[in-house]
Amino acid sequence: MLRQVLQTVEAAEGPITLSELSRRLNIAPGALAGMLEHWAQRGRLTVDGGSACACADGGGCGSCSGAAVCPFMARLPRSFVAVQTIERRDAMD
């Protein structure tokens, strides 16, 4: 099952969320989260923390001094991306 999770993330065109992966594989999100953590710890996946600020792209709203206090901060779902083979090889060197 672990291998199937990794293969599904690798086959995805871009980041994939836990809920989408759960739906595709018909695995409970709680069980799937542990499997994804396994692959992330082994360097096979990267995890996007999932937050975005409307002014973070340089537009600047001028009302905040940082993302921790920004009133326009949105919590996005975490997403997962397979690490490419070349990136993994570079990290091991």
Side-chain angles (χ1 to χ4, degrees):
M1 186 57 69
L2 276 171
R3 180 68 55 188
Q4 185 180 9
V5 169
L6 181 61
Q7 289 171 344
T8 303
V9 174
E10 289 174 338
E13 295 180 14
I16 187 167
T17 63
L18 178 66
S19 62
E20 176 61 26
L21 199 54
S22 174
R23 189 172 34 256
R24 287 186 189 184
L25 296 172
N26 197 28
I27 300 173
L32 188 56
M35 293 180 207
L36 292 166
E37 182 64 29
H38 167 83
W39 288 120
Q41 287 177 349
R42 291 195 165 24
R44 300 294 300 265
L45 300 179
T46 58
V47 181
D48 178 12
S51 63
C53 180
C55 58
D57 62 1
C61 64
S63 69
C64 65
S65 59
V69 295
C70 181
F72 302 107
M73 179 63 76
R75 185 53 115 177
L76 303 174
R78 289 177 38 180
S79 59
F80 303 87
V81 179
V83 174
Q84 300 300 317
T85 305
I86 294 171
E87 293 173 0
R88 284 199 320 263
R89 219 177 285 137
D90 289 343
M92 292 179 189
D93 290 339

